[in-house]
Amino acid sequence: MTSTAYIVRAGDTLGSIAKAHGTSPAEIQAANPIIKDRDKIQAGWKLSIPSEATPASAPTSKPQATQAKSAAALPPAKHAGDSSSAAVKSAPPCADELVDVVHFTADADRLFVLTEAQAKELRTEVDLVQKLMDEFHGIVVAATAAPCKKTTSNPEAACTCTGCKKADWAKKAGEVGLLRLEDRPKAVAAEPVETEGDIQGKIGELQQARDFFLNYDSFVAARSGQMHNVIEGNWRKLCEKKVAQLNAEIGTLQGQLKAQGPQSGETFAGGGKPDSNSPYTSKRTFEAGAGRQVSHYIQEVIILSRPDRRYYVRAQFWTRVKRTWAHKASARILREKPFSPGMVKDLFDDIKKAIGDSAKAGPLGKVEAKLWTIKTKEDHPLNALRCELYKFETKQADGDRYALSAEAQTLRFAASTSAGIKSFNPAKGEIDVGVKCEAAFALAEGKVTTTTYFPNRAGSTLQISYRNAVGKPVRHSFGSFRLNGSLELSCFTGAKGGLEAGVKTGKGAAEGPSGALALLGTPSIDASKAGGRLGLKAEGFAGAEAGGALSGAVEWLPPADYGKGAGNSGALTSGNSGWSVLAQIKAEGNLALGVGFEGDFGIGLEGGKFTIDCRANLVFGPGAGGGFGTVVDLEKVWDLIGLVCETLNQIEYRYLIGVQQQAFLSICQLLYKAALSPGDTVESLIGDGVLALDAWWDRREAGMAEAALLTKGILKHKAVKVGSRTMPIDRLPPETIGPMLWVLTESYIGKSNCLEQEQAIVELLSRIRRWRHLLEALEHMSPDAHKVKATDSLNRINSFLVEKQQDDFNRYLDGLVFQGQPAAPAVQYAWNVNDSLVYGEQKRTLLASAARHSDTRIA
């Protein structure tokens, strides 16, 4: 065996080098001790490439040198130039025995009749592919949700996650030519969650609160006499107490930050600790390259002597044998007669006639006898091919079809591999498309369908991004998210009727999703711009342009109901308990993910309708790429509003990155409108669209009539009521509470006595139990929710408080919570409305004074 030298270049793999030199990776590794791991070679290495390696599957024979020596030792022929022959001319030539018949799906019209050597060669090829199929099935069976350990800083880290196992398998399948792989995309990993950003956010929030107290300019400067000194003294004592408390908390956090040392990475809300259920704690996402059409890397074959299932070979094997296997027969009988023992006899009579004297057909009798034992039409691949591909006496049904395309064959291969199919006609099996699930197969049509929960019944931890007090993005874990839907993979990509090789079937080859490698690779989903279909693709493979379609319902579980169940994080007492449907996934409502979308879950507006935007990894877990958006139906808008309000309450009313500004303002406007018309449905409040809602907001008068409606609704329901459902005041966004307080205080200041309206003001304020919530409400205390100075708003409230009411209000402010969940309130109400009666004359004087200094007159 001779060898040649080769210098490894950047981008080379051992498989590509072996293919280029007509040898195998094993041969190259055996000749080069420097190669310790086939998957790790370095540019610049000088390798010795065996140039006459014998393929492992080739039959053994005498060494060529020995054959040449023997040939040289023989004497020359005595009658080299004699054209006569002593042979009996009528004697038949030497003929091989034919032992089997096979049909390649790609060749619709021919059958191949094999000799013993050819049958053995086919068995070797089938076993090679079957071994890889069984290996992949083992990966699917053992699939877990374990996060990938590969990171940007350590891309070569050892990892046994399902995604990496599938990638390693795909590399092995690519080296032998079974599949075509693109260069593996770079893995972009999220760094482990640290606490620095979260601590900095808390420090910034406390500093803002401290600055508010330090800079507060009391309205009491306008007052006179002893009343002035009492109120001012109470307020200054409150300021001093709060500033001291806040400085102590800031110092503690700064000490923690210093002890922690410099950190980096993404931060999460809630102490900066990663959620163990979250797919984002350690993950990888892929930058997908443009795939090309899959073509002729897998070929499907039916072996009549083994009629239990379809088998698969590499396309390069098929390309070679279709030229070298000489014995062929027509499949004409399959077109003309239904499957029966008579048809089997006619088929083999045809085969023997086509072969003639060129071979011995005797052993084919065993194959024919086996086909005679077939009793039904469903348990034999060849019969299914005949039923679905060719016409016979009865009228062909519209649904009859058989997909011959390379994509269809690849899909059947991938489905069989994922499900571990050992027989031809499985009713259902287990597949892995980012999740393990039960699936129904129609392999003759090249279709796989499944209905299940994505990523699983317990769902993924929902992550909503917001900006903390220092402007740093933080992800907040809030409840659970899942897709209760159906996945369909099919061999059809929108073409009707026509198939390869000129074969035409019935009218039933309808348009549908397409995909094969989606079963073998890391999933990626997005909404097609054509028709809005939510598609599924496979990352890392060439030819993954079309993959499949998802449909179903996007569901959300609030945190209060999440995590129930003994000893199982994320398990539920009931699989459907507490889940709310946020949106439906359907072709007419799906959107391509908007450019510039931040975070992994977002809310926006499209054509005046609310939308939900999702990243693929929220549905399929770590490693999945892409994203999609879907329109929210009107009846589900309230659930979406509830999600926003609950989230805002949890994150101290910070800026939600994933919610478009206009979408958020529309939610606040809708809640305000609902407060004026308690019990109205979402459809009646927003039935004419978001633009009509915005126009109503701009033209509303915000005067006494509106204040009267607000007063009535707040006192009766102590909440905002939409239909039969309510939103508590303490969950309302500041952009809704602020305008409410402005309207109530503006019209109240101009009245001499309106206890009910003052009571509504107290009801609104008393339901606010967080410092940040109040601060934001004061900053939006204007007719249209535009930002104003919080001190001006606070002065506005203080302007009509008298003696004990001012003391109560100060205690209320003192009891507001800065961090965490509110405790029991220091006082039940911000102040006692009945004190207005006790200090009646003094109250009227204050109201008259405030009215003279009011910037805005009453409508």
Side-chain angles (χ1 to χ4, degrees):
M1 179 183 295
T2 61
S3 63
T4 57
Y6 179 78
I7 304 299
V8 178
R9 294 173 293 185
D12 281 347
T13 65
L14 204 58
S16 65
I17 296 172
K19 187 175 181 180
H21 290 82
T23 183
S24 69
E27 292 280 353
I28 298 177
Q29 184 177 17
N32 296 272
I34 191 174
I35 302 176
K36 305 298 183 185
D37 185 341
R38 283 191 200 180
D39 296 331
K40 294 180 181 179
I41 59 174
Q42 296 182 11
W45 281 1
K46 184 177 181 180
L47 302 182
S48 177
I49 310 297
S51 58
E52 294 180 9
T54 302
S57 60
T60 57
S61 61
K62 279 187 178 183
Q64 291 183 355
T66 306
Q67 293 178 359
K69 183 177 180 181
S70 300
L74 293 175
K78 292 184 178 179
H79 306 283
D82 193 349
S83 61
S84 64
S85 173
V88 180
K89 292 186 179 181
S90 61
C94 293
D96 294 324
E97 288 190 334
L98 301 178
V99 299
D100 211 342
V101 181
V102 299
H103 171 79
F104 285 92
T105 304
D107 194 337
D109 297 318
R110 289 186 299 179
L111 302 172
F112 288 82
V113 190
L114 309 186
T115 66
E116 178 63 43
Q118 291 167 343
K120 183 178 180 181
E121 183 182 17
L122 177 62
R123 286 195 297 271
T124 301
E125 174 68 17
V126 164
D127 290 345
L128 181 150
V129 175
Q130 186 62 48
K131 182 179 179 181
L132 284 167
M133 294 175 74
D134 292 342
E135 182 179 338
F136 186 86
H137 178 60
I139 296 173
V140 173
V141 170
T144 65
C148 182
K149 296 179 180 179
K150 296 183 186 294
T151 63
T152 306
S153 58
N154 189 15
E156 300 300 325
C159 182
T160 58
C161 74
T162 302
C164 286
K165 286 182 178 178
K166 290 169 80 171
D168 292 341
W169 177 89
K171 183 186 294 184
K172 189 183 301 183
E175 286 182 351
V176 300
L178 185 62
L179 298 170
R180 178 174 180 175
L181 292 173
E182 292 176 336
D183 293 335
R184 185 172 182 175
K186 271 186 178 179
V188 181
E191 296 297 328
V193 176
E194 304 294 345
T195 61
E196 177 194 8
D198 201 44
I199 293 176
Q200 288 177 340
K202 291 179 180 179
I203 291 174
E205 183 174 342
L206 294 174
Q207 287 173 337
Q208 286 181 358
R210 181 191 62 186
D211 294 342
F212 176 83
F213 281 103
L214 286 173
N215 299 326
Y216 178 68
D217 183 17
S218 176
F219 76 98
V220 295
R223 298 185 179 183
S224 60
Q226 185 180 4
M227 181 67 179
H228 169 207
N229 294 331
V230 172
I231 297 177
E232 185 177 18
N234 287 343
W235 182 250
R236 292 194 183 282
K237 287 180 181 179
L238 176 62
C239 288
E240 291 171 2
K241 180 180 177 181
K242 282 298 181 184
V243 169
Q245 174 189 344
L246 293 169
N247 279 331
E249 293 183 36
I250 291 170
T252 300
L253 289 174
Q254 287 175 336
Q256 291 178 8
L257 195 61
K258 185 176 180 181
Q260 186 185 42
Q263 301 287 342
S264 62
E266 192 175 37
T267 58
F268 281 70
K273 295 181 180 179
D275 189 323
S276 60
N277 294 319
S278 172
Y280 312 99
T281 299
S282 177
K283 71 175 185 181
R284 54 179 178 151
T285 57
F286 290 103
E287 299 171 0
R292 290 188 293 272
Q293 179 73 21
V294 177
S295 57
H296 306 295
Y297 294 98
I298 296 168
Q299 288 294 336
E300 191 175 56
V301 59
I302 298 169
I303 305 174
L304 270 61
S305 65
R306 300 161 67 176
D308 57 336
R309 56 164 297 175
R310 290 179 174 84
Y311 293 92
Y312 295 91
V313 299
R314 294 170 292 179
Q316 62 195 44
F317 177 86
W318 156 244
T319 301
R320 175 172 57 84
V321 300
K322 70 180 179 181
R323 295 194 306 265
T324 58
W325 287 356
H327 303 298
K328 303 177 180 70
S330 171
R332 177 183 57 86
I333 296 297
L334 292 177
R335 294 187 181 92
E336 298 175 352
K337 296 184 178 181
F339 190 86
S340 66
M343 185 274 282
V344 172
K345 180 180 183 303
D346 290 344
L347 175 65
F348 278 86
D349 285 346
D350 249 17
I351 291 172
K352 293 170 185 176
K353 183 177 179 181
I355 295 168
D357 294 332
S358 63
K360 298 177 182 178
L364 288 179
K366 295 181 180 180
V367 179
E368 182 178 357
K370 181 172 288 190
L371 295 181
W372 276 54
T373 64
I374 302 299
K375 301 298 183 184
T376 67
K377 295 182 178 181
E378 289 77 24
D379 59 0
H380 188 263
L382 188 64
N383 180 64
L385 170 66
R386 189 211 58 76
C387 289
E388 302 205 21
L389 182 59
Y390 300 119
K391 296 180 180 180
F392 51 99
E393 287 89 350
T394 60
K395 183 180 179 181
Q396 185 180 30
D398 284 347
D400 289 348
R401 61 191 185 277
Y402 191 84
L404 304 180
S405 67
E407 172 73 7
Q409 295 177 53
T410 307
L411 175 62
R412 291 193 289 267
F413 164 81
S416 301
T417 302
S418 296
I421 294 173
K422 300 299 181 184
S423 61
F424 167 65
N425 188 37
K428 63 181 181 179
E430 187 178 60
I431 66 171
D432 176 16
V433 192
V435 296
K436 287 193 296 183
C437 53
E438 293 296 307
F441 299 104
L443 297 186
E445 299 176 5
K447 182 186 292 185
V448 177
T449 57
T450 180
T451 300
T452 187
Y453 294 101
F454 300 93
N456 51 54
R457 196 175 187 84
S460 289
T461 302
L462 180 61
Q463 305 284 341
I464 297 182
S465 299
Y466 70 95
R467 298 196 189 281
N468 62 14
V470 293
K472 188 170 184 178
V474 177
R475 275 180 175 159
H476 173 63
S477 302
F478 188 73
S480 186
F481 174 101
R482 73 185 183 189
L483 176 63
N484 183 357
S486 297
L487 166 68
E488 180 178 332
L489 302 173
S490 165
C491 60
F492 295 106
T493 57
K496 293 185 178 181
L499 299 176
E500 287 183 3
V503 177
K504 303 294 180 181
T505 67
K507 300 176 183 178
E511 294 182 4
S514 175
L517 299 177
L519 288 169
L520 304 178
T522 304
S524 174
I525 59 177
D526 61 2
S528 168
K529 293 182 180 179
R533 183 180 295 278
L534 184 58
L536 176 74
K537 300 189 291 187
E539 301 285 7
F541 287 94
E545 290 180 350
L550 277 171
S551 61
V554 176
E555 298 180 342
W556 170 67
L557 182 70
D561 298 326
Y562 185 70
K564 294 180 180 179
N568 183 11
S569 177
L572 301 173
T573 304
S574 171
N576 294 316
S577 175
W579 289 89
S580 298
V581 175
L582 293 180
Q584 294 287 338
I585 302 296
K586 46 193 176 183
E588 64 271 19
N590 295 330
L591 311 163
L593 194 64
V595 177
F597 169 66
E598 297 182 65
D600 299 285
F601 178 88
I603 298 169
L605 288 174
E606 181 76 21
K609 297 181 179 179
F610 287 103
T611 63
I612 289 178
D613 296 329
C614 299
R615 293 295 188 193
N617 47 22
L618 196 61
V619 177
F620 287 112
F628 67 95
T630 186
V631 173
V632 180
D633 293 335
L634 273 178
E635 63 268 21
K636 302 302 178 186
V637 167
W638 182 255
D639 293 304
L640 194 65
I641 292 173
L643 172 62
V644 173
C645 292
E646 291 287 343
T647 304
L648 284 171
N649 182 264
Q650 290 289 320
I651 65 172
E652 299 286 348
Y653 297 90
R654 294 290 174 187
Y655 177 77
L656 284 169
I657 298 175
V659 181
Q660 289 181 8
Q661 183 177 5
Q662 186 55 52
F664 178 70
L665 292 178
S666 295
I667 289 174
C668 297
Q669 292 166 4
L670 188 148
L671 288 169
Y672 190 100
K673 189 176 183 181
L676 298 176
S677 306
D680 281 6
T681 63
V682 171
E683 289 84 351
S684 62
L685 294 171
I686 199 176
D688 294 330
V690 171
L691 295 179
L693 179 66
D694 193 51
W696 166 84
W697 181 257
D698 289 338
R699 67 174 180 263
R700 50 179 274 273
E701 294 184 356
M704 287 184 179
E706 191 170 295
L709 291 174
L710 284 175
T711 298
K712 182 179 178 180
I714 290 170
L715 294 182
K716 182 177 180 179
H717 302 290
K718 294 180 172 55
V720 170
K721 186 176 182 183
V722 177
S724 60
R725 304 169 72 177
T726 59
M727 180 68 67
I729 292 172
D730 66 324
R731 293 297 190 268
L732 294 177
E735 288 81 356
T736 298
I737 292 182
M740 286 181 173
L741 286 172
W742 187 90
V743 168
L744 291 172
T745 56
E746 177 71 1
S747 60
Y748 176 71
I749 289 174
K751 294 181 180 179
S752 60
N753 187 16
C754 185
L755 294 184
E756 286 189 352
Q757 195 159 320
E758 183 179 352
Q759 191 174 349
I761 296 170
V762 172
E763 196 70 50
L764 280 176
L765 289 171
S766 301
R767 295 292 177 263
I768 299 175
R769 301 306 312 162
R770 297 170 184 268
W771 170 256
R772 171 125 187 118
H773 196 187
L774 177 64
L775 179 63
E776 287 290 317
L778 293 175
E779 288 186 343
H780 291 90
M781 195 168 154
S782 62
D784 52 7
H786 287 166
K787 272 206 168 186
V788 296
K789 288 183 179 180
T791 52
D792 292 344
S793 299
L794 189 57
N795 286 342
R796 184 185 185 89
I797 295 171
N798 282 331
S799 66
F800 54 81
L801 298 181
V802 293
E803 295 192 357
K804 189 174 183 301
Q805 289 181 328
Q806 183 71 65
D807 293 338
D808 289 343
F809 187 50
N810 289 346
R811 283 195 298 272
Y812 159 77
L813 293 175
D814 190 38
L816 292 177
V817 176
F818 281 87
Q819 302 279 330
Q821 293 294 330
V827 290
Q828 186 173 3
Y829 284 98
W831 65 80
N832 189 349
V833 176
N834 291 328
D835 288 338
S836 295
L837 296 175
V838 176
Y839 303 99
E841 186 59 36
Q842 189 176 1
K843 188 83 167 182
R844 283 190 290 273
T845 302
L846 288 174
L847 288 171
S849 175
R852 285 195 301 271
H853 292 87
S854 177
D855 293 331
T856 305
R857 307 316 301 165
I858 302 166

